[in-house]
């Protein structure tokens, strides 16, 4: 269906009824609701014109669709007007549903935050983003949104992060609002977040659901509000339902009004939406229906003219400013609140209520009609409100009221590069994680105090037990440790406001959501933290989207995936990760490391923490293992200068672990596979084939170095010269416990013959040597690959 067809049978757009100064018991200044109506009209106009200009006015030589969502903005215009111009405070933060970004830009423009020069730049290069973005928008944005559901749940983790960063018991000043579409509630990640035990105590959390009963393609079947009410209420939320506006409520109080209420309450969504597309005269005939209440409803409607009947049908609570005002004033700060606000998608536009209006565009004629109704000019779309008008004065007053002082950028947190210990004996890189955190509390206590760890109910099985015992578990208020006197309890769960570990339920999306917000406290509140999230590496893929989105939104954190790979042999294929090594390479804003030894783990973890608050820093992903490895194999230099050189190389991506006098082949191994590579080198030497062994710690950094050497991107490439010098270029065998393409690019350093070993099939249970042999990454396979290259 074309855009023009959407408006072919459209009734007249609604005319706002007069509103009293006192509505729903809420006293407001004389004339303020009339001014709010004018602002609401201007938000509707600007958001529609912003999308219209991007698609129909701005030159588009490529002919590609630009897009935008006028109907989605229209359904939120009333809610955003009431929130920003009546209730919002400077300490509050708001997440706006992705498709309403033009409405957010309109609001910020009216508040004086966004210059009119940006309004014609929606979806243009360097202009206003398609969805709100903290990192890319020229418009001030509280929360990045764009991936359905993530913007809503971000407010939960934002509230939790703010409480943690404040360091004070109780609820911090400021609410965390989320404006979300009802279709977003189909996302399972939303309910994982709502049901997390940490959420029920967040009284500063307010979600406003734009209940327009439409999704992208269709009218949502069924009446879901009752079900949603029950689900939120059972999770401990205050549920406020805003269904009907003042005109309908007044009709309900008349004779026959209860029959009309029953009819509207029971009406299927699709039938209601179809009535919205009828003329007012047609609505009069169809609204009574055919049930026993039909005569009473018809008699009630007989007292209204056709326009009044049509206006009553559209008089939903989400578009009634006094009702919105009263409901926002009824929020309970002792628990999370959800407001289910019934709205009409496309309200006030000629496309209102059409099941395919999600991305439909107004025609020039339809835009001109909208301009005439709201007092705007299609040829001068960005013209300001009349100077001195009540609406202009209210916008100026709101802009002044909501003015925020810029958040100063805090200095980087000092992190030591080397704590100075040299591990001995047998150890795992997973165990080294907990050891480093404990060492940090002694070597750099001020830095350690900024570390916060998060896990989804796996803190003990990922070797954080010692750290948790040392620093305690964070809770808004201190709780009794009922097992504190139990001698057989090894992990002490001491919950207190000064704790530095946050335990979530078993939901990886919640983990990375909280990590992203903890990693953004430096820019939100000027309080830098060093967040570290720990989860089983096979489950990283569950969390990919919110993890990536957190980095896009400016959150910096360290994600640790452990245990990893088919090295977790007895667990079998379901708990063995194959693709995660390359995921870290491909993720923007992230550096990935996979250390082989405990000291490598210390060095790269400290480097990752240092990058979190550096001006040009970012996030990190560490892939660790439960395989016990003889630490003497690391051959850590005793000389301080040589040790520092090793550390710099390990942090930069690789170091030479063994050098042969005249190498004929190079074995480049990563993580748990380094012992096999060293064994293979010994066996090759016995056959007269000398081999260099390189320990790769970060394939991503090596790839960036090679890319920069080729003239693509900017990165230091010195590590390639030191670890893979041209004078030692030989055929290359790469091996890792992951997909072999992760290291396949190394053959291009000197364009040498290459054999890549790794895991390409689902894992198997068994002993380690059996599993390695099954996947062709055991010592025999490495030796065979090297001999094939050197024959």
């Amino acid at each position: 269906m074309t855009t023009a067809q959407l408006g072919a049978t459209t009734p007249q757009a609604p005319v706002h009824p007069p509103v009293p100064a006192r509505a729903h018991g809420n006293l407001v200044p004389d004339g303020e609701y009339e001014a709010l109506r004018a602002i609401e009209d201007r938000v509707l106009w600007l958001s529609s014109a912003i999308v219209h200009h991007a698609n129909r006015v701005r030159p588009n030589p490529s002919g590609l669709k630009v897009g935008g969502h006028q109907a989605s903005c229209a359904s939120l215009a009333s809610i955003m007007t009431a929130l920003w111009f009546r209730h919002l405070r400077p300490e509050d933060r708001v997440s706006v549903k992705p498709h309403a970004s033009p409405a957010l830009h309109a609001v910020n423009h009216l508040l004086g935050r966004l210059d009119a020069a940006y309004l014609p730049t929606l979806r243009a290069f360097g202009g206003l983003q398609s969805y709100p973005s903290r990192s890319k928008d020229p418009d001030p944005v509280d929360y990045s949104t764009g991936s359905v559901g993530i913007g809503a749940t971000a407010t939960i983790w934002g509230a939790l992060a703010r409480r943690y960063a404040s360091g004070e018991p109780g609820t911090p000043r400021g609410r965390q609002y989320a404006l979300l579409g009802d279709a977003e509630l189909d996302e399972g990640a939303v309910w994982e977040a709502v049901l997390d035990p940490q959420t029920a105590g967040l009284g500063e959390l307010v979600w406003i659901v734009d209940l327009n009963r439409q999704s992208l393609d269709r009218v949502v079947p069924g009446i879901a509000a009752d079900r949603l009410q029950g689900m939120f209420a059972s999770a401990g939320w205050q549920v406020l339902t805003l269904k009907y506006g003042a005109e309908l409520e007044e009709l309900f109080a008349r004779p026959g009004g209860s029959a009309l209420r029953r009819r509207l309450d029971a009406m299927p969504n699709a039938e209601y939406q179809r009535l919205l597309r009828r003329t007012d005269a047609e609505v009069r005939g169809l609204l009574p229906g055919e049930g026993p209440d039909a005569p009473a409803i018809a008699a009630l409607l007989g007292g209204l003219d056709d326009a009044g009947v049509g206006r009553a049908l559209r008089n939903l609570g989400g578009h009634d400013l006094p009702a919105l005002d009263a409901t926002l004033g009824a929020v309970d700060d002792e628990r999370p609140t959800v407001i289910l606000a019934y709205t009409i998608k496309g309200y006030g536009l000629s496309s209102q209520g059409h099941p395919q209006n999600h991305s439909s565009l107004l025609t020039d004629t339809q835009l001109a009609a909208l301009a005439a109704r709201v007092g705007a000019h299609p040829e001068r779309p960005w013209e300001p409100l009349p100077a001195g008008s009540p609406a202009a004065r209210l916008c100026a007053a709101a802009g002044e009221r909501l003015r925020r002082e810029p958040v100063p950028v805090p200095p980087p947190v000092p992190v030591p590069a080397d704590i100075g210990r040299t591990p001995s004996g047998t150890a795992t890189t997973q165990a080294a994680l907990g050891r480093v955190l404990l060492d940090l509390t002694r070597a750099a206590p001020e830095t350690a105090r900024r570390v916060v760890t998060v896990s989804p109910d796996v803190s003990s099985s990922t070797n954080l037990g010692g750290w948790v015992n040392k620093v305690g578990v964070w809770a808004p208020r201190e709780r009794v440790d009922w097992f504190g006197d139990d001698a057989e309890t090894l992990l002490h769960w001491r919950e207190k406001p000064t704790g530095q570990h946050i335990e979530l339920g078993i939901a990886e999306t919640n983990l990375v959501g909280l990590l992203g917000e903890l990693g953004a406290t430096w820019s939100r509140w000027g309080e830098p933290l060093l967040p570290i999230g720990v989860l089983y590496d096979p489950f990283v893929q569950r969390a990919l989207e919110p993890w990536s989105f957190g980095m896009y939104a400016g959150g910096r954190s360290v994600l640790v995936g452990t245990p990893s790979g088919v090295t977790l042999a007895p667990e079998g294929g379901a708990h063995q990760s194959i693709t995660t090594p390359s995921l870290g390479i491909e993720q923007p804003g992230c550096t990935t490391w996979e250390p082989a030894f405990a000291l490598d783990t210390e060095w790269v973890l400290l480097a990752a923490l240092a990058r979190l608050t550096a001006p040009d820093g970012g996030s990190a992903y560490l892939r660790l293992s439960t395989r016990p490895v003889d630490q003497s194999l690391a051959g850590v230099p005793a000389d301080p200068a040589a040790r520092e050189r090793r550390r710099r190389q390990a942090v930069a991506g690789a170091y030479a672990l063994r050098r042969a006098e005249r190498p004929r082949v190079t074995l480049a191994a990563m993580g748990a596979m380094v012992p096999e590579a060293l064994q293979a080198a010994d066996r090759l030497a016995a056959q007269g084939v000398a081999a260099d062994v390189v320990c790769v710690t970060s394939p991503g950094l090596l790839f960036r170095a090679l890319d920069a050497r080729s003239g693509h991107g900017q990165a230091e490439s010195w590590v390639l010269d030191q670890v893979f010098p041209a004078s030692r270029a030989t055929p290359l065998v790469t091996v890792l416990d992951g997909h072999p393409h992760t290291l396949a690019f190394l053959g291009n350093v000197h364009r040498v013959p290459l054999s890549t070993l790794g895991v390409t099939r689902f894992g198997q249970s068994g002993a380690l040597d059996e599993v390695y042999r099954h996947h062709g990454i055991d010592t025999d396979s490495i030796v065979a690959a090297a001999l094939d290259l050197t024959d």
Side-chain angles (χ1 to χ4, degrees):
M1 179 171 287
T2 67
T3 303
Q5 287 174 316
L6 287 186
T9 59
T10 305
Q12 291 293 316
V15 176
H16 299 311
V19 290
R22 180 184 293 273
H24 297 269
N26 187 29
L27 184 65
V28 299
D30 289 343
E32 182 163 324
Y33 278 130
E34 284 74 14
L36 283 172
R37 289 292 194 199
I39 293 172
E40 176 190 11
D41 283 344
R42 190 51 58 107
V43 171
L44 176 63
W45 165 256
L46 286 174
S47 60
S48 299
I50 286 170
V51 177
H52 182 85
H53 189 280
N55 287 273
R56 300 196 186 279
V57 179
R58 192 171 68 222
N60 182 11
S62 71
L64 294 174
K65 173 187 173 183
V66 177
H69 303 85
Q70 292 169 327
S72 294
C73 292
S75 65
L76 263 185
S78 311
I79 293 170
M80 294 178 72
T81 300
L83 181 59
W84 261 268
F85 296 92
R86 281 281 294 158
H87 288 268
L88 209 61
R89 302 164 299 174
E91 61 267 27
D92 298 332
R93 298 294 182 268
V94 188
S95 170
V96 179
K97 71 176 187 178
H99 295 145
S101 65
L104 177 60
H105 301 319
V107 166
N108 280 336
H109 170 65
L110 293 172
L111 292 172
R113 296 176 175 176
L114 182 67
D115 192 272
Y118 284 108
L119 299 181
T121 68
L122 179 71
R123 302 189 175 208
F125 186 80
L128 297 174
Q129 298 298 295
S130 52
Y131 309 123
S133 171
R134 289 189 73 229
S135 58
K136 294 185 177 296
D137 247 315
D139 192 7
V141 169
D142 290 338
Y143 283 98
S144 295
T145 60
S147 190
V148 172
I150 291 178
T153 59
T155 57
I156 294 177
W157 314 124
L160 203 61
R162 187 174 192 181
R163 287 192 178 208
Y164 184 93
S166 72
E168 299 175 1
T171 303
R173 293 172 65 246
R175 288 175 176 168
Q176 304 287 324
Y177 289 92
L179 309 183
L180 64 155
D182 50 350
E184 287 191 79
L185 295 176
D186 290 345
E187 286 287 346
V190 169
W191 297 105
E192 287 185 347
V194 167
L195 294 175
D196 191 274
Q198 297 279 7
T199 303
L202 300 176
E204 63 269 41
L205 194 65
V206 181
W207 284 10
I208 305 175
V209 180
D210 176 11
L211 198 66
N212 59 44
R213 294 176 277 188
Q214 284 186 236
S215 60
L216 191 151
D217 290 328
R218 60 175 180 164
V219 175
V220 176
I223 301 172
D226 291 344
R227 177 169 54 89
L228 293 175
Q229 289 171 350
M231 293 168 71
F232 277 107
S234 66
W237 290 50
Q238 177 191 24
V239 182
L240 302 175
T241 301
L242 186 53
K243 188 169 186 179
Y244 300 118
E247 281 195 272
L248 271 176
E249 292 289 356
E250 193 275 330
L251 276 179
F252 294 155
R254 298 182 188 180
S258 57
L260 178 60
R261 183 190 290 271
R262 285 193 297 271
R263 165 75 168 131
L264 289 173
D265 283 345
M267 184 179 291
N269 292 341
E271 182 182 1
Y272 177 79
Q273 299 287 117
R274 186 66 188 94
L275 284 177
L276 293 174
R277 305 295 300 167
R278 303 284 189 181
T279 65
D280 292 341
E282 290 173 330
V283 171
R284 177 188 296 280
L286 294 170
L287 183 55
E290 298 178 352
D293 284 333
I297 298 172
L300 174 65
L301 298 181
L304 303 175
D305 59 17
D306 288 349
V309 172
R311 190 169 62 243
L313 177 71
R314 296 186 292 269
N315 185 228
L316 298 183
H319 299 300
D320 189 296
L321 288 173
L324 282 164
D325 194 21
T327 303
L328 287 167
V331 170
D332 178 4
D333 284 329
E334 296 302 314
R335 53 181 171 157
T337 296
V338 61
I339 299 173
L340 301 176
Y342 280 74
T343 62
I344 296 171
K345 194 165 185 174
Y347 181 77
L349 303 180
S350 54
S351 60
Q352 66 177 351
H354 195 285
Q356 278 88 52
N357 67 5
H358 180 75
S359 57
S360 67
L361 300 173
L362 299 179
T363 64
D364 291 337
T365 301
Q366 291 166 344
L367 188 78
L370 175 63
R373 184 176 72 78
V374 301
H377 197 293
E379 300 301 322
R380 301 188 299 276
W382 324 125
E383 199 167 53
L385 288 164
S389 67
R393 292 198 302 270
L394 183 54
C395 286
E400 187 61 32
R401 185 186 80 246
L402 296 175
R403 189 180 306 279
R404 300 174 186 165
E405 292 299 320
V407 177
V409 177
V413 174
V415 180
D418 187 344
I419 292 175
R421 292 178 70 253
T422 303
S424 59
T426 300
T428 72
T429 54
Q430 177 179 282
L433 169 69
R435 179 78 262 168
V436 173
L437 293 178
L438 288 174
D439 285 345
L440 193 62
T441 62
R442 292 183 285 270
E446 290 302 316
T447 298
R449 272 192 276 274
R450 294 197 175 271
V451 173
V452 52
T453 56
V454 188
S455 69
D457 199 36
V458 293
S459 54
S460 58
S461 56
T462 52
N463 283 88
L464 286 184
W467 163 260
V468 172
N469 286 342
K470 173 78 173 179
V471 302
V473 178
W474 180 82
R477 295 173 180 82
E478 190 157 357
R479 296 170 182 163
V480 175
D481 179 12
W482 294 105
F483 287 86
D485 60 350
D486 186 347
E488 296 183 0
T489 299
L490 300 180
L491 179 62
H492 296 287
W493 214 252
R494 299 186 180 96
E495 297 179 275
K496 51 189 178 181
T498 57
Q500 291 180 243
H501 176 75
I502 301 177
E503 189 87 355
L504 301 174
I506 305 176
E508 287 77 14
T509 57
N510 290 351
L511 167 78
V512 295
L514 178 55
L515 271 184
E517 289 303 319
L518 288 169
T521 56
W522 66 275
S523 60
R524 287 197 191 280
W525 322 114
E527 193 64 47
L529 297 175
L530 304 176
I532 302 172
V534 180
L535 76 168
Y536 292 166
D537 194 68
F539 306 144
V540 168
Q541 293 175 95
R542 290 187 186 178
L544 280 182
E545 187 185 15
W547 179 47
S548 175
F549 207 79
M551 284 179 263
Y552 170 77
R556 297 177 180 180
S557 61
V558 177
L559 183 65
V560 180
T562 184
S564 64
V566 299
T567 298
L568 193 61
E571 291 279 359
H575 278 66
Q576 295 173 353
S577 49
I578 296 171
T579 61
T580 50
S582 62
L583 294 177
I585 298 176
E586 297 158 9
Q587 175 58 49
C590 178
T591 301
T592 180
W593 282 283
E594 184 169 344
F597 300 102
L599 187 55
D600 295 350
T601 305
E602 174 191 310
W603 287 338
V604 301
L605 177 60
L606 294 175
L609 292 176
R611 293 187 74 250
L612 295 183
T613 59
D616 59 346
S619 295
Y621 167 49
L622 271 61
R623 192 171 185 256
L624 304 183
S625 173
T626 51
R627 183 184 186 184
V629 174
D630 179 1
Q631 297 302 298
S632 67
L633 295 177
V636 179
D639 180 80
R643 177 188 175 103
E644 172 59 14
R645 184 174 188 268
R646 166 72 71 86
R647 186 200 66 80
R648 289 182 66 247
Q649 290 177 342
V651 169
Y655 59 87
L657 189 55
R658 182 179 297 180
R659 291 296 198 198
E661 185 174 350
R662 290 189 179 85
R664 293 179 55 195
V665 67
T666 299
L667 310 180
M670 189 166 77
M673 303 312 306
V674 168
E676 273 64 32
L678 291 171
Q679 292 171 11
D682 289 339
R683 287 174 50 183
L684 288 167
Q687 299 180 60
V689 179
D692 280 352
V693 179
V694 171
C695 179
V696 175
T697 55
S698 176
L701 288 176
L702 295 183
F703 181 82
R704 291 180 206 171
L706 182 60
D707 216 30
R709 178 183 282 183
S710 302
H712 309 299
Q714 294 182 343
E716 294 182 345
S717 60
W718 60 264
V719 68
L720 298 178
D721 299 325
Q722 292 186 6
V723 180
F724 298 98
S727 61
R728 304 186 72 85
T730 64
L732 180 65
V733 177
T734 65
V735 58
L736 76 152
D737 184 357
H739 199 282
H741 81 82
T742 305
L743 297 178
F745 68 90
L746 288 176
N748 285 332
V749 174
H750 295 298
R751 300 187 183 279
V752 296
L754 174 72
S755 181
T756 58
L757 306 181
V759 181
T760 59
R761 294 173 287 170
F762 287 113
Q764 298 286 337
S765 297
L768 196 61
D769 57 343
E770 294 174 319
V771 172
Y772 281 179
R773 185 165 53 251
H774 171 75
H775 290 286
I777 55 175
D778 58 328
T779 302
D780 285 350
S781 298
I782 298 172
V783 170
L787 292 175
D788 286 343
L789 289 176
T790 55
D791 275 351

